[in-house]
Amino acid sequence: MPPKRPPSVAIATAATKRRRGNAIKPIVSMAANSFASLEDEGEDSSPLRKEFLQLLSAPQHKGRGVANSALKSHFGENYAHLVPIINELTRASRLTMSKGSGENEVYFSLLSVVEASKMQGLDAHSKLVYQVVESAGNRGIWTVDIRVQTNIPQATLTKIFKQLETRKLIKPIKAVTAKTKKLYMLYDLVPAKEITGGPWYTEGEFDHEFIAELRNFIIMCVRRMNHGKGVTIQQISDKMVQANVSRVQLSLEEVRQLVQTLLHDYVIEERGVTDEGHALFVPARKISTMCEFGWWDVLCNDFHFRGIRFEDDV
């Protein structure tokens, strides 16, 4: 009798034929194809299992998962011994595997115990849709692309979306660039700024009031901090965090964008640098246009200097 092979990892597939677009090819027994099949030799695999779980649990691998090539590089000779671990986690609904559209690379994603319980009882179509959404990461995937990649009829997809949303496995997101369309991503992922528009958008709309409040706070910082002798962007950012004026955490680059708008409107100006080379910002000098002149004054060489008067009479 030939020796038994390790149980293959069954990945639910709905697309059995390529009908249109870049449909995902059926992923059957993915672990058996990705790893060399080895008999369990009775070795203690707990350290290997722990290392495997720690790798997949890393924050940078949340969503898309870990590529098969990365596993080969990380585990080296122990790569083939992952087969029984993959099988065990898949049977417990703790592990999913997916391929991106037009890619041959397999990605492994670890689910928490709570997420695994939500996956229990899903049929093949639902699991396939989940895998497609998962492979899109925090940029999400349009509903039309899900239909093309899975070849599942729209009526069935609508029911699957509702089921996965009810279980809090996926969530719908509207992009600021296409408000009439809907895309999906995993429920616990934070959408990319390219999708939501970043902190300057609220529910898909440009938030003029929020930006005006932040600009006014920066003006106050420039006028009052350091006795008006100049503040850096880092000092402004620290003060915004301390005062809790923003409902979202702003990066230093986002604070810089706000400062740039004030520079453009000539509300503040850059004057000097710190010892570390950081720019200092101070209130802009007010100017008033002088219009009382004769046409012959235009011929004077210094006319352009007479055209404005600074508040300090320079």
Side-chain angles (χ1 to χ4, degrees), residues 93-120:
S93 298
R94 291 292 311 279
L95 193 69
T96 64
M97 287 174 277
S98 61
K99 284 185 178 181
S101 176
E103 295 184 21
N104 292 323
E105 184 75 276
V106 177
Y107 288 85
F108 297 82
S109 299
L110 185 67
L111 300 178
S112 67
V113 175
V114 175
E115 291 173 323
S117 64
K118 295 177 182 178
M119 295 286 289
Q120 294 290 340

PDB file of all heavy atoms in Angstrom, residues 93-120:
ATOM      1  N   SER A  93     -10.072  26.875  10.337  1.00  0.00           N
ATOM      2  CA  SER A  93     -10.460  28.169   9.748  1.00  0.00           C
ATOM      3  C   SER A  93      -9.603  29.310  10.272  1.00  0.00           C
ATOM      4  O   SER A  93     -10.041  30.463  10.303  1.00  0.00           O
ATOM      5  CB  SER A  93     -11.947  28.470  10.018  1.00  0.00           C
ATOM      6  OG  SER A  93     -12.771  27.498   9.432  1.00  0.00           O
ATOM      7  N   ARG A  94      -8.372  28.999  10.673  1.00  0.00           N
ATOM      8  CA  ARG A  94      -7.464  30.037  11.163  1.00  0.00           C
ATOM      9  C   ARG A  94      -6.557  30.579  10.065  1.00  0.00           C
ATOM     10  O   ARG A  94      -5.848  31.563  10.280  1.00  0.00           O
ATOM     11  CB  ARG A  94      -6.579  29.467  12.285  1.00  0.00           C
ATOM     12  CG  ARG A  94      -7.287  29.149  13.584  1.00  0.00           C
ATOM     13  CD  ARG A  94      -7.764  30.401  14.296  1.00  0.00           C
ATOM     14  NE  ARG A  94      -6.741  31.413  14.411  1.00  0.00           N
ATOM     15  CZ  ARG A  94      -5.772  31.431  15.326  1.00  0.00           C
ATOM     16  NH1 ARG A  94      -5.701  30.444  16.211  1.00  0.00           N
ATOM     17  NH2 ARG A  94      -4.901  32.417  15.379  1.00  0.00           N
ATOM     18  N   LEU A  95      -6.571  29.965   8.903  1.00  0.00           N
ATOM     19  CA  LEU A  95      -5.649  30.357   7.836  1.00  0.00           C
ATOM     20  C   LEU A  95      -6.400  30.433   6.515  1.00  0.00           C
ATOM     21  O   LEU A  95      -7.223  29.580   6.201  1.00  0.00           O
ATOM     22  CB  LEU A  95      -4.505  29.338   7.728  1.00  0.00           C
ATOM     23  CG  LEU A  95      -3.288  29.747   6.889  1.00  0.00           C
ATOM     24  CD1 LEU A  95      -2.520  30.858   7.588  1.00  0.00           C
ATOM     25  CD2 LEU A  95      -2.382  28.557   6.642  1.00  0.00           C
ATOM     26  N   THR A  96      -6.106  31.480   5.759  1.00  0.00           N
ATOM     27  CA  THR A  96      -6.657  31.603   4.410  1.00  0.00           C
ATOM     28  C   THR A  96      -5.515  31.788   3.434  1.00  0.00           C
ATOM     29  O   THR A  96      -4.450  32.289   3.794  1.00  0.00           O
ATOM     30  CB  THR A  96      -7.622  32.795   4.290  1.00  0.00           C
ATOM     31  OG1 THR A  96      -6.901  34.023   4.519  1.00  0.00           O
ATOM     32  CG2 THR A  96      -8.765  32.680   5.275  1.00  0.00           C
ATOM     33  N   MET A  97      -5.753  31.369   2.194  1.00  0.00           N
ATOM     34  CA  MET A  97      -4.764  31.524   1.134  1.00  0.00           C
ATOM     35  C   MET A  97      -5.433  32.134  -0.086  1.00  0.00           C
ATOM     36  O   MET A  97      -6.578  31.824  -0.391  1.00  0.00           O
ATOM     37  CB  MET A  97      -4.134  30.167   0.790  1.00  0.00           C
ATOM     38  CG  MET A  97      -3.176  29.655   1.856  1.00  0.00           C
ATOM     39  SD  MET A  97      -2.578  27.996   1.529  1.00  0.00           S
ATOM     40  CE  MET A  97      -3.935  27.043   2.189  1.00  0.00           C
ATOM     41  N   SER A  98      -4.715  33.005  -0.752  1.00  0.00           N
ATOM     42  CA  SER A  98      -5.313  33.721  -1.879  1.00  0.00           C
ATOM     43  C   SER A  98      -4.250  34.081  -2.897  1.00  0.00           C
ATOM     44  O   SER A  98      -3.052  34.038  -2.618  1.00  0.00           O
ATOM     45  CB  SER A  98      -6.019  34.989  -1.385  1.00  0.00           C
ATOM     46  OG  SER A  98      -5.092  35.854  -0.753  1.00  0.00           O
ATOM     47  N   LYS A  99      -4.735  34.423  -4.090  1.00  0.00           N
ATOM     48  CA  LYS A  99      -3.891  34.940  -5.161  1.00  0.00           C
ATOM     49  C   LYS A  99      -4.488  36.242  -5.655  1.00  0.00           C
ATOM     50  O   LYS A  99      -5.706  36.365  -5.784  1.00  0.00           O
ATOM     51  CB  LYS A  99      -3.830  33.950  -6.335  1.00  0.00           C
ATOM     52  CG  LYS A  99      -2.939  32.741  -6.109  1.00  0.00           C
ATOM     53  CD  LYS A  99      -2.881  31.911  -7.385  1.00  0.00           C
ATOM     54  CE  LYS A  99      -1.960  30.711  -7.232  1.00  0.00           C
ATOM     55  NZ  LYS A  99      -1.890  29.918  -8.483  1.00  0.00           N
ATOM     56  N   GLY A 100      -3.606  37.210  -5.932  1.00  0.00           N
ATOM     57  CA  GLY A 100      -4.082  38.444  -6.521  1.00  0.00           C
ATOM     58  C   GLY A 100      -4.396  38.253  -7.990  1.00  0.00           C
ATOM     59  O   GLY A 100      -3.985  37.273  -8.616  1.00  0.00           O
ATOM     60  N   SER A 101      -5.142  39.204  -8.547  1.00  0.00           N
ATOM     61  CA  SER A 101      -5.507  39.128  -9.955  1.00  0.00           C
ATOM     62  C   SER A 101      -4.256  39.178 -10.829  1.00  0.00           C
ATOM     63  O   SER A 101      -3.433  40.085 -10.722  1.00  0.00           O
ATOM     64  CB  SER A 101      -6.429  40.295 -10.321  1.00  0.00           C
ATOM     65  OG  SER A 101      -6.720  40.286 -11.688  1.00  0.00           O
ATOM     66  N   GLY A 102      -4.100  38.174 -11.682  1.00  0.00           N
ATOM     67  CA  GLY A 102      -2.966  38.130 -12.593  1.00  0.00           C
ATOM     68  C   GLY A 102      -1.659  37.741 -11.929  1.00  0.00           C
ATOM     69  O   GLY A 102      -0.596  37.869 -12.529  1.00  0.00           O
ATOM     70  N   GLU A 103      -1.713  37.256 -10.685  1.00  0.00           N
ATOM     71  CA  GLU A 103      -0.494  36.863  -9.972  1.00  0.00           C
ATOM     72  C   GLU A 103      -0.447  35.351  -9.802  1.00  0.00           C
ATOM     73  O   GLU A 103      -1.470  34.688  -9.721  1.00  0.00           O
ATOM     74  CB  GLU A 103      -0.436  37.521  -8.591  1.00  0.00           C
ATOM     75  CG  GLU A 103      -0.330  39.036  -8.611  1.00  0.00           C
ATOM     76  CD  GLU A 103      -0.183  39.609  -7.214  1.00  0.00           C
ATOM     77  OE1 GLU A 103       0.237  38.858  -6.309  1.00  0.00           O
ATOM     78  OE2 GLU A 103      -0.493  40.793  -7.030  1.00  0.00           O
ATOM     79  N   ASN A 104       0.780  34.841  -9.724  1.00  0.00           N
ATOM     80  CA  ASN A 104       0.977  33.422  -9.433  1.00  0.00           C
ATOM     81  C   ASN A 104       1.397  33.203  -7.979  1.00  0.00           C
ATOM     82  O   ASN A 104       1.441  32.069  -7.516  1.00  0.00           O
ATOM     83  CB  ASN A 104       2.039  32.835 -10.367  1.00  0.00           C
ATOM     84  CG  ASN A 104       1.568  32.777 -11.807  1.00  0.00           C
ATOM     85  OD1 ASN A 104       0.391  32.503 -12.073  1.00  0.00           O
ATOM     86  ND2 ASN A 104       2.464  33.040 -12.743  1.00  0.00           N
ATOM     87  N   GLU A 105       1.712  34.283  -7.284  1.00  0.00           N
ATOM     88  CA  GLU A 105       2.175  34.192  -5.907  1.00  0.00           C
ATOM     89  C   GLU A 105       1.006  33.885  -4.975  1.00  0.00           C
ATOM     90  O   GLU A 105      -0.076  34.450  -5.089  1.00  0.00           O
ATOM     91  CB  GLU A 105       2.817  35.508  -5.494  1.00  0.00           C
ATOM     92  CG  GLU A 105       3.430  35.506  -4.103  1.00  0.00           C
ATOM     93  CD  GLU A 105       4.745  34.743  -4.048  1.00  0.00           C
ATOM     94  OE1 GLU A 105       4.695  33.507  -3.910  1.00  0.00           O
ATOM     95  OE2 GLU A 105       5.806  35.389  -4.143  1.00  0.00           O
ATOM     96  N   VAL A 106       1.238  32.942  -4.053  1.00  0.00           N
ATOM     97  CA  VAL A 106       0.247  32.567  -3.050  1.00  0.00           C
ATOM     98  C   VAL A 106       0.539  33.341  -1.769  1.00  0.00           C
ATOM     99  O   VAL A 106       1.681  33.454  -1.345  1.00  0.00           O
ATOM    100  CB  VAL A 106       0.288  31.058  -2.769  1.00  0.00           C
ATOM    101  CG1 VAL A 106      -0.692  30.686  -1.669  1.00  0.00           C
ATOM    102  CG2 VAL A 106      -0.012  30.278  -4.036  1.00  0.00           C
ATOM    103  N   TYR A 107      -0.521  33.881  -1.154  1.00  0.00           N
ATOM    104  CA  TYR A 107      -0.384  34.633   0.088  1.00  0.00           C
ATOM    105  C   TYR A 107      -1.138  33.918   1.203  1.00  0.00           C
ATOM    106  O   TYR A 107      -2.281  33.488   1.023  1.00  0.00           O
ATOM    107  CB  TYR A 107      -0.929  36.054  -0.073  1.00  0.00           C
ATOM    108  CG  TYR A 107      -0.051  36.941  -0.927  1.00  0.00           C
ATOM    109  CD1 TYR A 107      -0.173  36.944  -2.312  1.00  0.00           C
ATOM    110  CD2 TYR A 107       0.912  37.766  -0.341  1.00  0.00           C
ATOM    111  CE1 TYR A 107       0.636  37.747  -3.100  1.00  0.00           C
ATOM    112  CE2 TYR A 107       1.721  38.573  -1.123  1.00  0.00           C
ATOM    113  CZ  TYR A 107       1.579  38.562  -2.499  1.00  0.00           C
ATOM    114  OH  TYR A 107       2.389  39.355  -3.272  1.00  0.00           O
ATOM    115  N   PHE A 108      -0.491  33.811   2.375  1.00  0.00           N
ATOM    116  CA  PHE A 108      -1.070  33.158   3.540  1.00  0.00           C
ATOM    117  C   PHE A 108      -1.427  34.214   4.580  1.00  0.00           C
ATOM    118  O   PHE A 108      -0.585  35.048   4.931  1.00  0.00           O
ATOM    119  CB  PHE A 108      -0.084  32.154   4.149  1.00  0.00           C
ATOM    120  CG  PHE A 108       0.262  31.010   3.231  1.00  0.00           C
ATOM    121  CD1 PHE A 108       1.231  31.156   2.244  1.00  0.00           C
ATOM    122  CD2 PHE A 108      -0.379  29.790   3.353  1.00  0.00           C
ATOM    123  CE1 PHE A 108       1.540  30.107   1.398  1.00  0.00           C
ATOM    124  CE2 PHE A 108      -0.062  28.732   2.508  1.00  0.00           C
ATOM    125  CZ  PHE A 108       0.891  28.895   1.530  1.00  0.00           C
ATOM    126  N   SER A 109      -2.666  34.182   5.054  1.00  0.00           N
ATOM    127  CA  SER A 109      -3.127  35.146   6.056  1.00  0.00           C
ATOM    128  C   SER A 109      -3.680  34.406   7.267  1.00  0.00           C
ATOM    129  O   SER A 109      -4.415  33.432   7.117  1.00  0.00           O
ATOM    130  CB  SER A 109      -4.207  36.058   5.478  1.00  0.00           C
ATOM    131  OG  SER A 109      -3.702  36.807   4.387  1.00  0.00           O
ATOM    132  N   LEU A 110      -3.321  34.895   8.437  1.00  0.00           N
ATOM    133  CA  LEU A 110      -3.767  34.282   9.684  1.00  0.00           C
ATOM    134  C   LEU A 110      -4.989  35.010  10.216  1.00  0.00           C
ATOM    135  O   LEU A 110      -5.043  36.238  10.231  1.00  0.00           O
ATOM    136  CB  LEU A 110      -2.644  34.332  10.731  1.00  0.00           C
ATOM    137  CG  LEU A 110      -2.913  33.634  12.059  1.00  0.00           C
ATOM    138  CD1 LEU A 110      -3.004  32.126  11.853  1.00  0.00           C
ATOM    139  CD2 LEU A 110      -1.816  33.969  13.070  1.00  0.00           C
ATOM    140  N   LEU A 111      -5.977  34.253  10.635  1.00  0.00           N
ATOM    141  CA  LEU A 111      -7.184  34.811  11.225  1.00  0.00           C
ATOM    142  C   LEU A 111      -7.161  34.617  12.736  1.00  0.00           C
ATOM    143  O   LEU A 111      -6.646  33.615  13.233  1.00  0.00           O
ATOM    144  CB  LEU A 111      -8.435  34.138  10.650  1.00  0.00           C
ATOM    145  CG  LEU A 111      -8.663  34.229   9.143  1.00  0.00           C
ATOM    146  CD1 LEU A 111      -9.927  33.469   8.767  1.00  0.00           C
ATOM    147  CD2 LEU A 111      -8.762  35.672   8.702  1.00  0.00           C
ATOM    148  N   SER A 112      -7.715  35.588  13.446  1.00  0.00           N
ATOM    149  CA  SER A 112      -7.827  35.440  14.896  1.00  0.00           C
ATOM    150  C   SER A 112      -8.897  34.404  15.216  1.00  0.00           C
ATOM    151  O   SER A 112      -9.647  33.961  14.339  1.00  0.00           O
ATOM    152  CB  SER A 112      -8.193  36.787  15.524  1.00  0.00           C
ATOM    153  OG  SER A 112      -9.501  37.174  15.123  1.00  0.00           O
ATOM    154  N   VAL A 113      -8.972  34.027  16.482  1.00  0.00           N
ATOM    155  CA  VAL A 113      -9.977  33.051  16.898  1.00  0.00           C
ATOM    156  C   VAL A 113     -11.379  33.595  16.632  1.00  0.00           C
ATOM    157  O   VAL A 113     -12.275  32.868  16.185  1.00  0.00           O
ATOM    158  CB  VAL A 113      -9.804  32.716  18.398  1.00  0.00           C
ATOM    159  CG1 VAL A 113     -10.922  31.789  18.859  1.00  0.00           C
ATOM    160  CG2 VAL A 113      -8.443  32.084  18.649  1.00  0.00           C
ATOM    161  N   VAL A 114     -11.563  34.903  16.880  1.00  0.00           N
ATOM    162  CA  VAL A 114     -12.868  35.523  16.636  1.00  0.00           C
ATOM    163  C   VAL A 114     -13.196  35.493  15.149  1.00  0.00           C
ATOM    164  O   VAL A 114     -14.321  35.151  14.743  1.00  0.00           O
ATOM    165  CB  VAL A 114     -12.881  36.968  17.165  1.00  0.00           C
ATOM    166  CG1 VAL A 114     -14.195  37.657  16.807  1.00  0.00           C
ATOM    167  CG2 VAL A 114     -12.675  36.982  18.675  1.00  0.00           C
ATOM    168  N   GLU A 115     -12.209  35.856  14.309  1.00  0.00           N
ATOM    169  CA  GLU A 115     -12.432  35.836  12.867  1.00  0.00           C
ATOM    170  C   GLU A 115     -12.702  34.426  12.374  1.00  0.00           C
ATOM    171  O   GLU A 115     -13.539  34.210  11.491  1.00  0.00           O
ATOM    172  CB  GLU A 115     -11.214  36.426  12.143  1.00  0.00           C
ATOM    173  CG  GLU A 115     -11.032  37.914  12.349  1.00  0.00           C
ATOM    174  CD  GLU A 115      -9.737  38.418  11.765  1.00  0.00           C
ATOM    175  OE1 GLU A 115      -8.724  37.691  11.842  1.00  0.00           O
ATOM    176  OE2 GLU A 115      -9.722  39.539  11.245  1.00  0.00           O
ATOM    177  N   ALA A 116     -11.982  33.454  12.951  1.00  0.00           N
ATOM    178  CA  ALA A 116     -12.180  32.063  12.546  1.00  0.00           C
ATOM    179  C   ALA A 116     -13.594  31.591  12.860  1.00  0.00           C
ATOM    180  O   ALA A 116     -14.215  30.868  12.069  1.00  0.00           O
ATOM    181  CB  ALA A 116     -11.155  31.170  13.239  1.00  0.00           C
ATOM    182  N   SER A 117     -14.121  32.020  13.992  1.00  0.00           N
ATOM    183  CA  SER A 117     -15.484  31.625  14.338  1.00  0.00           C
ATOM    184  C   SER A 117     -16.494  32.230  13.360  1.00  0.00           C
ATOM    185  O   SER A 117     -17.520  31.625  13.061  1.00  0.00           O
ATOM    186  CB  SER A 117     -15.810  32.072  15.769  1.00  0.00           C
ATOM    187  OG  SER A 117     -15.799  33.493  15.868  1.00  0.00           O
ATOM    188  N   LYS A 118     -16.182  33.421  12.827  1.00  0.00           N
ATOM    189  CA  LYS A 118     -17.071  34.051  11.853  1.00  0.00           C
ATOM    190  C   LYS A 118     -17.030  33.326  10.508  1.00  0.00           C
ATOM    191  O   LYS A 118     -17.979  33.396   9.727  1.00  0.00           O
ATOM    192  CB  LYS A 118     -16.676  35.517  11.651  1.00  0.00           C
ATOM    193  CG  LYS A 118     -16.848  36.385  12.883  1.00  0.00           C
ATOM    194  CD  LYS A 118     -16.365  37.802  12.623  1.00  0.00           C
ATOM    195  CE  LYS A 118     -16.494  38.672  13.859  1.00  0.00           C
ATOM    196  NZ  LYS A 118     -15.981  40.051  13.628  1.00  0.00           N
ATOM    197  N   MET A 119     -15.927  32.644  10.222  1.00  0.00           N
ATOM    198  CA  MET A 119     -15.778  31.937   8.953  1.00  0.00           C
ATOM    199  C   MET A 119     -16.487  30.587   8.961  1.00  0.00           C
ATOM    200  O   MET A 119     -16.731  30.011   7.894  1.00  0.00           O
ATOM    201  CB  MET A 119     -14.293  31.720   8.640  1.00  0.00           C
ATOM    202  CG  MET A 119     -13.507  32.997   8.391  1.00  0.00           C
ATOM    203  SD  MET A 119     -13.870  33.755   6.797  1.00  0.00           S
ATOM    204  CE  MET A 119     -13.091  32.576   5.695  1.00  0.00           C
ATOM    205  N   GLN A 120     -16.804  30.092  10.146  1.00  0.00           N
ATOM    206  CA  GLN A 120     -17.440  28.789  10.241  1.00  0.00           C
ATOM    207  C   GLN A 120     -18.791  28.798   9.517  1.00  0.00           C
ATOM    208  O   GLN A 120     -19.593  29.709   9.666  1.00  0.00           O
ATOM    209  CB  GLN A 120     -17.659  28.404  11.712  1.00  0.00           C
ATOM    210  CG  GLN A 120     -16.383  28.187  12.498  1.00  0.00           C
ATOM    211  CD  GLN A 120     -15.632  26.935  12.081  1.00  0.00           C
ATOM    212  OE1 GLN A 120     -16.200  26.025  11.475  1.00  0.00           O
ATOM    213  NE2 GLN A 120     -14.349  26.881  12.408  1.00  0.00           N
TER     214      GLN A 120
END
